[in-house]
Amino acid sequence: MTTIALVAHDQKKDALVAWAKAHEAVLTGHTLFATGTTGGRLQTETDLAVTPVKSGPLGGDAQLGAMIAEGKLPVLVFFIDPLSAMPHDVDVKSLIRLAILYDTLLAVNEETATAVMKSLSVA
């Protein structure tokens, strides 16, 4: 069992929820965190037990970054929308930077997230 954070930009929330449903059997065996709206949607649209943190722009990205820095978050799945400007872009960059710095297993799109789930299901 590991701790996984699930995050998605607004235009990617539908994709993340659909992806989570497709991988619900594997995700169920892990401790899950998610930022604001994404976490709420996962709680209502799946059977997953998700602990929500604040919305990304309101500090959720920073909360997850702190978990990474403290060694409490080994996996981050973040469906990023590369075509939309983000008002809290500095927070997103900080979260990604911390994930890289602390060698966090990081998936930023559906294909890599699926590969991560496959690796966790055989580990």
Side-chain angles (χ1 to χ4, degrees):
M1 177 188 263
T2 193
T3 301
I4 302 169
L6 304 170
V7 183
H9 284 146
D10 288 344
Q11 297 302 316
K12 296 290 185 173
K13 290 190 190 317
D14 290 342
L16 181 66
V17 170
W19 176 85
K21 286 180 182 178
H23 297 279
E24 201 163 334
V26 175
L27 289 168
T28 297
H30 301 283
T31 301
L32 304 176
F33 286 84
T35 51
T37 306
T38 303
R41 287 199 49 194
L42 289 166
Q43 286 177 319
T44 59
E45 298 178 41
T46 71
D47 291 325
L48 295 169
V50 178
T51 300
V53 297
K54 294 184 182 294
S55 171
L58 299 178
D61 293 336
Q63 287 177 288
L64 296 178
M67 290 174 67
I68 289 171
E70 294 169 353
K72 296 177 181 175
L73 183 59
V75 181
L76 174 61
V77 174
F78 192 161
F79 281 22
I80 295 174
D81 179 6
L83 301 178
S84 295
M86 299 294 141
H88 67 293
D89 190 54
V90 294
D91 300 321
V92 172
K93 286 179 181 174
S94 176
L95 177 57
I96 299 300
R97 183 182 66 79
L98 288 167
I100 294 167
L101 178 65
Y102 287 98
D103 206 23
T104 302
L105 188 53
L106 173 63
V108 295
N109 60 38
E110 189 170 343
E111 194 68 26
T112 53
T114 298
V116 167
M117 286 304 103
K118 288 180 183 175
S119 74
L120 292 175
S121 66
V122 296

